[in-house]
């Protein structure tokens, strides 16, 4: 069967800035796949519960696939009127007319029974009329239908990308939220639904980072009435541990790719400036790997675990620097001046996201620097200050915080800066982190 070609990066020089050449990153599909997604229908007789499940499933599935940015999706206004319940209902020539010209067609049926809800979902190659995907999902009640839509969307993303991505519909985003005088850690589905709290200590909790297995979060906490920042490791299922730090200051923890270590910023007892430390994730003595008379902070591991990107003002202003994971081979990556913050390494290791405040500006914007060449690509501009960027696990999307809507909120977008979506709306929200793929999916 046909597979979706992997996206390639096309670079377009747009302007020469005083700090050097700025480049806009444009992501373009080579040989786009056209995917038609017919509304799922009731398998047998309709019911109030079946109709409700159908409405939610169809809405969620379409939005998941549209945000994936993997497909060209013809408008439903051009679709044939005849509903499709089963493969025998498909008239393939109707989906090859010029206004649709679909390469693949997804469809299916849903039925709510007394004890379960059953979803049958299909994907067919329109040109060959061959079935590419056939799934049957059974859930206890219609309240779980959103989860099934996410799962089928990810199944389609994996199938049609030839395994290049497993999709992000089942991923989650952790963030820090200030509400009612405290700042707690929350977790939400990537699309802003099913928000829940992770902490409830009424203190200040910041900079969450996911463990590679998605079971734990590392973050820093200052408890009510306290004066010191602690490094916490907390399971989403409950239970936490306070990890030892060299002093009463800790910031911006980052898990190593294998989950065995945590990098974070802290101070030696005799120092006023922060350094980068690395410690066992299970607890134990932290090792100072920068030990420089400057502010070093915001570490992030490369996908191989062999390098760490971090922010340092050792050159005069905060810039993006790289070093090997043992602290050796330190070199400056970004040369533009201004104020850099929050580096985040792409899953393929080729790019580093960061926020940058130009010397003449009051706000930050999101940029990408290509590690091998040092070329810089700008992703945001215009409204608000855009900060704390991070990657989706497939490297096709970005999460960040922005005050463009009036208060600081969490947003997601494609990795070329397009298809912006607001994830949070209540409270003051920031320092987001995107989870890895669900384990076992």
């Amino acid at each position: 069967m046909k597979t979706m070609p992997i996206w390639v990066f096309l670079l377009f020089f747009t302007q020469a800035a005083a700090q050097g050449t700025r480049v806009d990153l444009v992501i373009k599909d080579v040989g786009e796949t056209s995917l038609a997604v017919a509304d799922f229908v009731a398998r047998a007789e309709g019911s109030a519960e079946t109709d409700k499940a159908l409405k939610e499933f169809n809405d969620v599935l379409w939005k998941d696939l549209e945000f994936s940015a993997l497909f060209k999706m013809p408008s439903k206004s051009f679709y044939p009127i005849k509903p499709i319940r089963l493969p025998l209902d498909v008239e393939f020539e109707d989906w090859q007319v010029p206004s649709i010209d679909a390469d693949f067609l997804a469809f299916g049926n849903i039925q709510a029974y007394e004890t379960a809800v059953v979803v049958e979902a299909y994907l067919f190659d329109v040109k060959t009329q061959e079935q590419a995907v056939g799934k049957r999902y059974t859930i206890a009640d219609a309240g779980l239908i959103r989860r099934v839509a996410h799962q089928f969307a990810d199944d389609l993303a994996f199938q049609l990308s030839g395994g290049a991505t497993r999709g992000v519909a089942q991923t989650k985003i952790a963030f820090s939220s200030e509400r009612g005088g405290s700042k707690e850690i929350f977790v939400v589905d990537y699309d802003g639904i099913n928000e829940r709290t992770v902490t409830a200590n009424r203190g200040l909790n910041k900079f969450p980072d996911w463990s590679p297995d998605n079971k734990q979060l590392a973050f820093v906490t200052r408890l009510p009435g306290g004066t010191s920042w602690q490094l916490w490791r907390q399971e989403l299922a409950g239970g936490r541990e306070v990890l030892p730090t060299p002093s009463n200051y800790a910031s911006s923890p980052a898990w190593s790719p294998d989950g065995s270590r945590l990098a974070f910023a802290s101070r030696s007892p005799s120092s006023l400036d922060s350094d980068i430390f690395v410690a066992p994730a299970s607890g134990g003595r932290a090792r100072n790997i920068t030990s420089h008379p400057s502010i070093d902070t915001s570490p992030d591991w490369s996908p191989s675990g062999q390098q760490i990107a971090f922010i340092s003002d050792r050159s005069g202003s905060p810039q993006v620097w790289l070093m090997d994971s043992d602290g050796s081979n330190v070199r400056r990556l970004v040369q533009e001046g201004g104020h850099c913050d929050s580096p985040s390494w792409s899953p393929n290791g080729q790019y580093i996201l960061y926020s940058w405040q130009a010397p003449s500006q009051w706000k930050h914007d999101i940029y990408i620097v290509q590690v091998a060449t040092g070329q810089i690509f700008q992703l945001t501009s215009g409204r608000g200050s855009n900060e704390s960027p991070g990657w989706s696990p497939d490297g096709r999307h970005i999460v960040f915080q922005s005050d463009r809507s009036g208060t600081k909120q969490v947003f997601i977008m494609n990795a070329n800066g397009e298809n912006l979506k607001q994830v949070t709306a209540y409270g003051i929200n920031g320092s987001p982190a995107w989870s890895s793929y669900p384990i076992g999916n």
Side-chain angles (χ1 to χ4, degrees):
M1 64 170 290
K2 291 180 287 186
T3 59
M4 169 71 71
I6 301 174
W7 278 10
V8 298
F9 293 102
L10 304 181
L11 313 182
F12 294 91
F13 289 85
T14 58
Q15 70 179 55
Q19 295 77 27
T21 302
R22 194 200 80 181
V23 183
D24 282 337
L25 180 65
V26 178
I27 302 179
K28 182 177 177 62
D29 245 339
V30 178
E32 289 182 330
T33 293
S34 176
L35 173 65
V37 185
D39 281 343
F40 280 50
V41 296
R43 180 178 177 87
E45 293 184 6
S47 66
E49 191 171 33
T50 298
D51 292 343
K52 181 180 178 182
L54 284 167
K55 184 178 186 304
E56 184 170 22
F57 182 92
N58 288 324
D59 180 62
V60 172
L61 179 62
W62 181 269
K63 289 179 178 177
D64 285 347
L65 294 172
E66 185 178 47
F67 183 74
S68 75
L70 281 162
F71 319 107
K72 180 174 63 177
M73 298 175 65
S75 170
K76 289 185 178 181
S77 62
F78 298 117
Y79 287 10
I81 297 176
K82 178 184 175 182
I84 305 175
R85 289 177 175 82
L86 298 167
L88 290 176
D89 298 329
V90 180
E91 296 179 4
F92 289 99
E93 62 274 12
D94 291 345
W95 299 92
Q96 299 183 62
V97 297
S99 59
I100 302 176
D101 193 23
D103 297 309
F104 290 90
L105 170 64
F107 62 93
N109 63 79
I110 298 175
Q111 192 66 41
Y113 300 97
E114 288 186 4
T115 59
V117 178
V118 177
V119 179
E120 293 182 345
Y122 302 92
L123 177 72
F124 270 75
D125 186 319
V126 175
K127 304 299 191 292
T128 66
Q129 303 184 18
E130 295 178 352
Q131 181 174 311
V133 173
K135 296 277 186 175
R136 182 182 175 92
Y137 308 91
T138 302
I139 52 178
D141 60 73
L144 301 174
I145 197 68
R146 174 177 290 272
R147 183 186 301 176
V148 176
H150 287 328
Q151 186 173 344
F152 185 53
D154 283 348
D155 288 341
L156 295 183
F158 181 81
Q159 182 73 19
L160 293 180
S161 70
T165 175
R166 290 161 57 186
V168 298
Q170 297 177 88
T171 60
K172 300 182 183 299
I173 294 171
F175 61 97
S176 177
S177 183
E178 184 176 346
R179 308 177 187 185
S182 66
K183 184 176 286 188
E184 305 289 355
I185 303 298
F186 286 74
V187 168
V188 69
D189 292 354
Y190 96 98
D191 57 1
I193 306 299
N194 294 328
E195 180 182 280
R196 66 185 182 94
T197 58
V198 175
T199 64
N201 56 39
R202 305 298 299 170
L204 299 178
N205 302 274
K206 301 195 300 182
F207 308 123
D209 191 61
W210 292 89
S211 63
D213 63 5
N214 293 330
K215 294 181 179 179
Q216 301 178 77
L217 289 169
F219 51 93
V220 297
T221 295
R222 192 175 73 189
L223 295 173
T227 59
S228 64
W229 287 97
Q230 300 175 343
L231 177 61
W232 283 24
R233 176 172 55 83
Q234 182 162 327
E235 297 180 4
L236 268 68
R240 64 174 175 84
E241 181 177 358
V242 180
L243 301 178
T245 56
S247 67
N248 63 357
Y249 172 77
S251 181
S252 52
W255 292 85
S256 63
D258 64 1
S260 67
R261 294 170 289 173
L262 281 169
F264 58 95
S266 188
R267 300 190 186 104
S268 299
S270 60
S271 175
L272 295 177
D273 296 322
S274 63
D275 284 312
I276 306 301
F277 289 78
V278 173
S282 58
R285 183 175 178 274
R287 185 167 63 91
N288 187 338
I289 62 171
T290 55
S291 190
H292 190 277
S294 63
I295 296 176
D296 299 328
T297 188
S298 301
D300 192 66
W301 299 80
S302 68
S304 67
Q306 299 301 307
Q307 298 180 81
I308 292 176
F310 65 105
I311 296 295
S312 178
D313 67 356
R314 63 184 64 195
S315 58
S317 63
Q319 300 294 308
V320 179
W321 290 71
L322 301 179
M323 62 181 168
D324 292 349
S325 59
D326 61 359
S328 63
N329 194 23
V330 179
R331 62 274 192 200
R332 181 175 169 180
L333 180 60
V334 174
Q335 309 287 337
E336 315 313 303
H339 185 135
C340 297
D341 201 4
S342 306
S344 177
W345 221 302
S346 66
N348 65 10
Q350 297 179 15
Y351 299 90
I352 291 176
L353 274 170
Y354 65 101
S355 71
W356 183 57
Q357 182 184 31
S360 59
Q361 291 186 349
W362 62 270
K363 68 184 187 72
H364 282 249
D365 274 307
I366 307 300
Y367 290 79
I368 293 177
V369 59
Q370 192 171 35
V371 176
T373 66
Q375 285 185 305
I376 294 172
F377 317 105
Q378 183 170 0
L379 299 185
T380 64
S381 61
R383 299 172 57 191
S385 188
N386 307 289
E387 304 172 67
S388 299
W391 294 92
S392 66
D394 63 354
R396 302 177 69 90
H397 311 284
I398 290 167
V399 64
F400 64 102
Q401 69 183 47
S402 177
D403 59 6
R404 62 180 61 204
S405 62
T407 58
K408 189 165 64 176
Q409 301 296 334
V410 175
F411 290 80
I412 55 177
M413 64 183 179
N414 294 350
N416 63 349
E418 298 177 353
N419 203 11
L420 183 73
K421 308 283 186 184
Q422 185 170 337
V423 175
T424 63
Y426 177 71
I428 300 174
N429 307 294
S431 57
W434 211 314
S435 74
S436 301
Y437 292 123
I439 299 301
N441 181 50

